[in-house]
Amino acid sequence: MELRSAFRNFSFRAIRFYLDATMIVQILFPTLMFLLFLILPLASVLYIATQYSPLEVISDPMYVSFIPHGELVEIRSNLIFRGKEITLIKLRGVSFGAILNSLICASIVTICASTIGVLIAFIMARYDFPGKTFFRVLATVPLLMTPFINAFVIKKLFDWRDGLISWFICDVLGIPLRIGVSEIAGVVVAQTMTFFPIVYLNVFSSMVNIDPSLEEQAENLGAKGFHLFRTITLPLSLPGLAAGAAIVFIFSLEDVAAPIVFNEKRFMSYQILSKFIEATTGRLSPVAATLAVILLALALTAFAGIKRYVTLRQYAMLSRGGRWSIRVRRPGIKGLIAIYISLLPLFLLAFPQFGVFIYAFCEKWTGPLPEGFTIDHVAKIVIDPLVSRAIVNSLTYSLSALILIVLMGISASYVIARAKLAGVELLDLLVTSPIALPGLVIAVGYFYFFTTMFKGTLLDPIASGPSFLLILAYSVRRLPFTARAVFAGLQQIHIALEEASLNLGASRLRTIRSIVIPLIGINIVSGALISFVYCMSEVSTSITLGGLGGLGELHQAPITLIMMDYLSRVEGPYVVASLGVLLMSIQLAVITLTNVILKQRYAYIGV
Amino acid sequence: MLLVTRVILKDVTKRFGKVIAVDRVSLQVNHSELFTLLGPSGCGKTTTLRVIAGFELPDEGKVFFDDEDVTFKKPYERGCAMVFQNYALWPHMSVFDNVAYGLKLRGLPSNEVKRRVMEVLRLVGLEGLENRYPLQLSGGQQQRVALARALVVEPKVLLLDEPLSNLDAKLRLRMREEVKKLQKDLKITTIYVTHDQEEAMSLSDRIAVMNGGKVLQIGPPMEVYMHPKNLFVATFIGRSTLLRGIIKKVEGDKAVVSVSRDLELVGRFSQDIKLKEGEEAVAIMRPEDFFLDGTNSSNVIEGFVELTMFLGPFTQLRVKVGSQTIKAYVDPDVGVKSGTKIRLYIRPENVIIFPLTGWEEVEFEAIA
């Protein structure tokens, strides 16, 4: 009892001394924002989910089925196609119901993406060879985010009738064989191709940060080749691999683009989305809540599983560039051949982004090869009022969110970095948690919470449209990028610089304004730019909440919703590709700005 | 005219987790005094200074400026100015803006700000450099800017946290003199933190020697040097060498220590320390207090010279005395060679006797 009261007294003394009005606001502002726009919505998902028995969902063979449906590989020989006798190999995939499908596919995608990512990262981090710069650029191309349309290009690539691959094998090489990938297998291939760079970048940054002497010591003791890689290099890059793999797993679980493009409804994400399409009436099926809770549980399990390797803050941003010169070797002829063969798939992996460009600028691309050149499609994103309005919407939402992000990011990171109080770690956990939270779960939570608790207000997406909710969803989901950048900046400036100011009589606010912000300005700007990019290309809440206002003349939908909608329209994919080009241009501009002008290097983690 | 203030610490304790950084420290710094907190790294001196500046809240105890309890005052409400160990100059501001910062906060008109900034820059010898940026200055110049920035606001108390430790040896000696002169001219209450005992002795009106979070002794440099209260202070202040033995005879505050069968040393107890016959003791001597040979028959230490090192003004000898070794400084002109036998005399008043307890703690520093 006595100990307890002594502790409380201590806490009260400490709070009274270490906190001032500015810091109290800095704690309360992000905390209340996250309470209202993250915790309570998530709590309402849990609440709704508990109102219905999850068994109803789990026992439905549509969601969980232990009897496999469909065949993994379909082989048909002696098939007559366009007057030629061919053999057709079609990868299709087996279904175990939406929940198990999501889980199985996410696991396969994670393993495939990790294997490719580690291989490329290892070659790039440890070898020097002619054409390396070219391959490095090629390996970063898949990082450019083009929601929906890159999956669309991948589908086209693997189409057995008019796909480039089958065309090349059958029509160019003359082998009577056509290969197709579709349905669940298509989703796996598309997600692997989209998400592998996340592993690549995280592992690469881990590898270049390994102290070279650790490997040299092992070599000195006789380790070499694969043994050295297996016993030293790979274990030391585990934090990067663990972080990358966990993010790929979660992104795969909540990815809607690939299932939509491959018209594959047997995924949890697609099911949640389809419930939203019915929700314009104001009611969201409780199945969405059950699925969201399962999705959330799987995502959190993934993060809990790798907790021993990395702390949450490392997911948001791994700063790159070692303090030492990186160990690179020049391989011999045999090694060179092995390297080039290993890197050859990069042409395929980077193809979707080039494909999006081609798609946007060709007259038509219905057969295996694109035809003609035109800027009509690109012009449409300005001329078509629905599309141009969506661009304006996205810009408005993203820039508004950015104001909140910068304010919250500076506030929260400052407190986390500087307050000498127990419990600031909780604030840290709170503001970085959105990295691990699937956007679809947040969307479901927003729907339940704001259509009931804020019925009829500006925050009610049914009554007022989704504008305000999207701004808030963006600012919560994309805060970690800015928060981590600001935190990294604060760690670089010596605390004595602030103490000197306080000591001379400047208040906390004045110190932050005239000392802290000028010194970490670059970090704030580059963090905000990254947040901006991710706001503009945000998918999960945009295509769910974003559709609640309809697609009328004065619609409130963002770019990504239009991209999803136009995908199924006549001539629509060309417009989607043009929007993809627009998003890629913004990303290239931001990457150039942060890396070249601001000299900040952050690993991008993906969508 | 500067306001001068007394600083009083009453039973200040500060813990970091389980570590007690400052342990019931009580002290009083008088008007316009230069008071030094001296001790090895980790002794709690910087934490004590940060408690005074208001960057740390003591877990127990109070801090007063004159009669005002400032324990809970924020740093910006205290009116003391600090010079940081790394200077903490704002890299995005010019020298002028760095120095003017505190004045602008006080809402002074701009011509007054300019006048006072120029005045203080002249005082620290930096006129003409006001438009430079901190990174364009040398270490010594940066140090002066930090000092000017603290002085210009006419603080009630000036706090200096190892301000000279980042300077090279020559510059450090020059800046030491300048700091002392400035402090005397401005008559500003100053608390100075250092681990360098020579710096502390040359600068201070009074010194508080700290170790393990505790204040071991407070006094003027001479007193701390001549009359150390305990073994730690005796070995930390100045250079010292020591011999272990057993008390053979006690006469008032004098005693005879038997070091070995054929060596007895007459010395004095430090302050209120008293030992009884037969108790184990340590005799502390300053290497500079030894004389070669001498005509005296008592207090002569015989030994073998193991090593000689020429240090300029004197030659340092390492002398093997039985199973123990001592350090002595002798006139280099005498030309003592290693391997030879030597006789060293030391006056009884220069041999200070302490109990053996606490010997392990200081052994390393004493021999080093």
mmCIF file with all atom_site columns, all heavy atoms in Angstrom, chain A residues 398-411:
data_model
loop_
_atom_site.group_PDB
_atom_site.id
_atom_site.type_symbol
_atom_site.label_atom_id
_atom_site.label_alt_id
_atom_site.label_comp_id
_atom_site.label_asym_id
_atom_site.label_entity_id
_atom_site.label_seq_id
_atom_site.pdbx_PDB_ins_code
_atom_site.Cartn_x
_atom_site.Cartn_y
_atom_site.Cartn_z
_atom_site.occupancy
_atom_site.B_iso_or_equiv
_atom_site.pdbx_formal_charge
_atom_site.auth_seq_id
_atom_site.auth_comp_id
_atom_site.auth_asym_id
_atom_site.auth_atom_id
_atom_site.pdbx_PDB_model_num
ATOM 1  N N   . SER A 1 398 ? -5.591 13.792 -49.902 1.00 0.00 ? 398 SER A N   1
ATOM 2  C CA  . SER A 1 398 ? -4.216 13.515 -49.514 1.00 0.00 ? 398 SER A CA  1
ATOM 3  C C   . SER A 1 398 ? -3.564 14.726 -48.867 1.00 0.00 ? 398 SER A C   1
ATOM 4  O O   . SER A 1 398 ? -2.870 14.615 -47.854 1.00 0.00 ? 398 SER A O   1
ATOM 5  C CB  . SER A 1 398 ? -3.393 13.074 -50.727 1.00 0.00 ? 398 SER A CB  1
ATOM 6  O OG  . SER A 1 398 ? -3.969 11.933 -51.298 1.00 0.00 ? 398 SER A OG  1
ATOM 7  N N   . LEU A 1 399 ? -3.801 15.900 -49.457 1.00 0.00 ? 399 LEU A N   1
ATOM 8  C CA  . LEU A 1 399 ? -3.178 17.102 -48.895 1.00 0.00 ? 399 LEU A CA  1
ATOM 9  C C   . LEU A 1 399 ? -3.791 17.448 -47.538 1.00 0.00 ? 399 LEU A C   1
ATOM 10 O O   . LEU A 1 399 ? -3.082 17.857 -46.614 1.00 0.00 ? 399 LEU A O   1
ATOM 11 C CB  . LEU A 1 399 ? -3.304 18.274 -49.869 1.00 0.00 ? 399 LEU A CB  1
ATOM 12 C CG  . LEU A 1 399 ? -2.452 18.124 -51.144 1.00 0.00 ? 399 LEU A CG  1
ATOM 13 C CD1 . LEU A 1 399 ? -2.759 19.237 -52.139 1.00 0.00 ? 399 LEU A CD1 1
ATOM 14 C CD2 . LEU A 1 399 ? -0.960 18.115 -50.808 1.00 0.00 ? 399 LEU A CD2 1
ATOM 15 N N   . SER A 1 400 ? -5.116 17.256 -47.410 1.00 0.00 ? 400 SER A N   1
ATOM 16 C CA  . SER A 1 400 ? -5.740 17.505 -46.103 1.00 0.00 ? 400 SER A CA  1
ATOM 17 C C   . SER A 1 400 ? -5.203 16.531 -45.072 1.00 0.00 ? 400 SER A C   1
ATOM 18 O O   . SER A 1 400 ? -4.876 16.905 -43.938 1.00 0.00 ? 400 SER A O   1
ATOM 19 C CB  . SER A 1 400 ? -7.260 17.362 -46.192 1.00 0.00 ? 400 SER A CB  1
ATOM 20 O OG  . SER A 1 400 ? -7.762 18.077 -47.285 1.00 0.00 ? 400 SER A OG  1
ATOM 21 N N   . ALA A 1 401 ? -5.116 15.265 -45.485 1.00 0.00 ? 401 ALA A N   1
ATOM 22 C CA  . ALA A 1 401 ? -4.587 14.254 -44.560 1.00 0.00 ? 401 ALA A CA  1
ATOM 23 C C   . ALA A 1 401 ? -3.160 14.611 -44.162 1.00 0.00 ? 401 ALA A C   1
ATOM 24 O O   . ALA A 1 401 ? -2.757 14.429 -43.012 1.00 0.00 ? 401 ALA A O   1
ATOM 25 C CB  . ALA A 1 401 ? -4.624 12.872 -45.215 1.00 0.00 ? 401 ALA A CB  1
ATOM 26 N N   . LEU A 1 402 ? -2.428 15.164 -45.129 1.00 0.00 ? 402 LEU A N   1
ATOM 27 C CA  . LEU A 1 402 ? -1.029 15.481 -44.875 1.00 0.00 ? 402 LEU A CA  1
ATOM 28 C C   . LEU A 1 402 ? -0.879 16.516 -43.753 1.00 0.00 ? 402 LEU A C   1
ATOM 29 O O   . LEU A 1 402 ? 0.063  16.449 -42.964 1.00 0.00 ? 402 LEU A O   1
ATOM 30 C CB  . LEU A 1 402 ? -0.395 16.003 -46.165 1.00 0.00 ? 402 LEU A CB  1
ATOM 31 C CG  . LEU A 1 402 ? 1.057  15.626 -46.384 1.00 0.00 ? 402 LEU A CG  1
ATOM 32 C CD1 . LEU A 1 402 ? 1.250  14.133 -46.237 1.00 0.00 ? 402 LEU A CD1 1
ATOM 33 C CD2 . LEU A 1 402 ? 1.503  16.076 -47.759 1.00 0.00 ? 402 LEU A CD2 1
ATOM 34 N N   . ILE A 1 403 ? -1.810 17.461 -43.701 1.00 0.00 ? 403 ILE A N   1
ATOM 35 C CA  . ILE A 1 403 ? -1.751 18.459 -42.623 1.00 0.00 ? 403 ILE A CA  1
ATOM 36 C C   . ILE A 1 403 ? -1.866 17.753 -41.271 1.00 0.00 ? 403 ILE A C   1
ATOM 37 O O   . ILE A 1 403 ? -1.073 17.982 -40.351 1.00 0.00 ? 403 ILE A O   1
ATOM 38 C CB  . ILE A 1 403 ? -2.876 19.510 -42.793 1.00 0.00 ? 403 ILE A CB  1
ATOM 39 C CG1 . ILE A 1 403 ? -2.654 20.284 -44.103 1.00 0.00 ? 403 ILE A CG1 1
ATOM 40 C CG2 . ILE A 1 403 ? -2.932 20.460 -41.592 1.00 0.00 ? 403 ILE A CG2 1
ATOM 41 C CD1 . ILE A 1 403 ? -3.819 21.185 -44.478 1.00 0.00 ? 403 ILE A CD1 1
ATOM 42 N N   . LEU A 1 404 ? -2.867 16.854 -41.182 1.00 0.00 ? 404 LEU A N   1
ATOM 43 C CA  . LEU A 1 404 ? -3.047 16.111 -39.934 1.00 0.00 ? 404 LEU A CA  1
ATOM 44 C C   . LEU A 1 404 ? -1.849 15.223 -39.655 1.00 0.00 ? 404 LEU A C   1
ATOM 45 O O   . LEU A 1 404 ? -1.384 15.098 -38.526 1.00 0.00 ? 404 LEU A O   1
ATOM 46 C CB  . LEU A 1 404 ? -4.314 15.252 -40.009 1.00 0.00 ? 404 LEU A CB  1
ATOM 47 C CG  . LEU A 1 404 ? -5.635 16.016 -39.976 1.00 0.00 ? 404 LEU A CG  1
ATOM 48 C CD1 . LEU A 1 404 ? -6.798 15.093 -40.294 1.00 0.00 ? 404 LEU A CD1 1
ATOM 49 C CD2 . LEU A 1 404 ? -5.822 16.658 -38.600 1.00 0.00 ? 404 LEU A CD2 1
ATOM 50 N N   . ILE A 1 405 ? -1.332 14.592 -40.714 1.00 0.00 ? 405 ILE A N   1
ATOM 51 C CA  . ILE A 1 405 ? -0.193 13.678 -40.551 1.00 0.00 ? 405 ILE A CA  1
ATOM 52 C C   . ILE A 1 405 ? 1.021  14.424 -40.000 1.00 0.00 ? 405 ILE A C   1
ATOM 53 O O   . ILE A 1 405 ? 1.673  13.967 -39.060 1.00 0.00 ? 405 ILE A O   1
ATOM 54 C CB  . ILE A 1 405 ? 0.147  12.995 -41.899 1.00 0.00 ? 405 ILE A CB  1
ATOM 55 C CG1 . ILE A 1 405 ? -0.911 11.952 -42.228 1.00 0.00 ? 405 ILE A CG1 1
ATOM 56 C CG2 . ILE A 1 405 ? 1.531  12.359 -41.853 1.00 0.00 ? 405 ILE A CG2 1
ATOM 57 C CD1 . ILE A 1 405 ? -0.773 11.340 -43.612 1.00 0.00 ? 405 ILE A CD1 1
ATOM 58 N N   . VAL A 1 406 ? 1.308  15.592 -40.588 1.00 0.00 ? 406 VAL A N   1
ATOM 59 C CA  . VAL A 1 406 ? 2.487  16.344 -40.146 1.00 0.00 ? 406 VAL A CA  1
ATOM 60 C C   . VAL A 1 406 ? 2.298  16.802 -38.697 1.00 0.00 ? 406 VAL A C   1
ATOM 61 O O   . VAL A 1 406 ? 3.203  16.665 -37.860 1.00 0.00 ? 406 VAL A O   1
ATOM 62 C CB  . VAL A 1 406 ? 2.761  17.532 -41.092 1.00 0.00 ? 406 VAL A CB  1
ATOM 63 C CG1 . VAL A 1 406 ? 3.784  18.477 -40.492 1.00 0.00 ? 406 VAL A CG1 1
ATOM 64 C CG2 . VAL A 1 406 ? 3.245  17.017 -42.439 1.00 0.00 ? 406 VAL A CG2 1
ATOM 65 N N   . LEU A 1 407 ? 1.102  17.299 -38.377 1.00 0.00 ? 407 LEU A N   1
ATOM 66 C CA  . LEU A 1 407 ? 0.865  17.752 -36.999 1.00 0.00 ? 407 LEU A CA  1
ATOM 67 C C   . LEU A 1 407 ? 0.968  16.594 -36.013 1.00 0.00 ? 407 LEU A C   1
ATOM 68 O O   . LEU A 1 407 ? 1.636  16.692 -34.977 1.00 0.00 ? 407 LEU A O   1
ATOM 69 C CB  . LEU A 1 407 ? -0.518 18.405 -36.887 1.00 0.00 ? 407 LEU A CB  1
ATOM 70 C CG  . LEU A 1 407 ? -0.639 19.808 -37.498 1.00 0.00 ? 407 LEU A CG  1
ATOM 71 C CD1 . LEU A 1 407 ? -2.075 20.295 -37.422 1.00 0.00 ? 407 LEU A CD1 1
ATOM 72 C CD2 . LEU A 1 407 ? 0.299  20.777 -36.779 1.00 0.00 ? 407 LEU A CD2 1
ATOM 73 N N   . MET A 1 408 ? 0.321  15.483 -36.368 1.00 0.00 ? 408 MET A N   1
ATOM 74 C CA  . MET A 1 408 ? 0.367  14.325 -35.460 1.00 0.00 ? 408 MET A CA  1
ATOM 75 C C   . MET A 1 408 ? 1.770  13.747 -35.399 1.00 0.00 ? 408 MET A C   1
ATOM 76 O O   . MET A 1 408 ? 2.246  13.350 -34.336 1.00 0.00 ? 408 MET A O   1
ATOM 77 C CB  . MET A 1 408 ? -0.605 13.235 -35.929 1.00 0.00 ? 408 MET A CB  1
ATOM 78 C CG  . MET A 1 408 ? -2.050 13.518 -35.613 1.00 0.00 ? 408 MET A CG  1
ATOM 79 S SD  . MET A 1 408 ? -3.065 12.021 -35.789 1.00 0.00 ? 408 MET A SD  1
ATOM 80 C CE  . MET A 1 408 ? -3.093 11.818 -37.548 1.00 0.00 ? 408 MET A CE  1
ATOM 81 N N   . GLY A 1 409 ? 2.429  13.683 -36.563 1.00 0.00 ? 409 GLY A N   1
ATOM 82 C CA  . GLY A 1 409 ? 3.764  13.091 -36.619 1.00 0.00 ? 409 GLY A CA  1
ATOM 83 C C   . GLY A 1 409 ? 4.756  13.860 -35.770 1.00 0.00 ? 409 GLY A C   1
ATOM 84 O O   . GLY A 1 409 ? 5.521  13.274 -34.995 1.00 0.00 ? 409 GLY A O   1
ATOM 85 N N   . ILE A 1 410 ? 4.742  15.187 -35.892 1.00 0.00 ? 410 ILE A N   1
ATOM 86 C CA  . ILE A 1 410 ? 5.673  15.991 -35.098 1.00 0.00 ? 410 ILE A CA  1
ATOM 87 C C   . ILE A 1 410 ? 5.332  15.851 -33.615 1.00 0.00 ? 410 ILE A C   1
ATOM 88 O O   . ILE A 1 410 ? 6.206  15.624 -32.779 1.00 0.00 ? 410 ILE A O   1
ATOM 89 C CB  . ILE A 1 410 ? 5.637  17.469 -35.531 1.00 0.00 ? 410 ILE A CB  1
ATOM 90 C CG1 . ILE A 1 410 ? 6.173  17.614 -36.966 1.00 0.00 ? 410 ILE A CG1 1
ATOM 91 C CG2 . ILE A 1 410 ? 6.463  18.338 -34.588 1.00 0.00 ? 410 ILE A CG2 1
ATOM 92 C CD1 . ILE A 1 410 ? 6.047  19.006 -37.525 1.00 0.00 ? 410 ILE A CD1 1
ATOM 93 N N   . SER A 1 411 ? 4.050  15.950 -33.297 1.00 0.00 ? 411 SER A N   1
ATOM 94 C CA  . SER A 1 411 ? 3.641  15.882 -31.891 1.00 0.00 ? 411 SER A CA  1
ATOM 95 C C   . SER A 1 411 ? 4.036  14.553 -31.262 1.00 0.00 ? 411 SER A C   1
ATOM 96 O O   . SER A 1 411 ? 4.747  14.515 -30.258 1.00 0.00 ? 411 SER A O   1
ATOM 97 C CB  . SER A 1 411 ? 2.118  16.037 -31.768 1.00 0.00 ? 411 SER A CB  1
ATOM 98 O OG  . SER A 1 411 ? 1.719  17.271 -32.288 1.00 0.00 ? 411 SER A OG  1
#
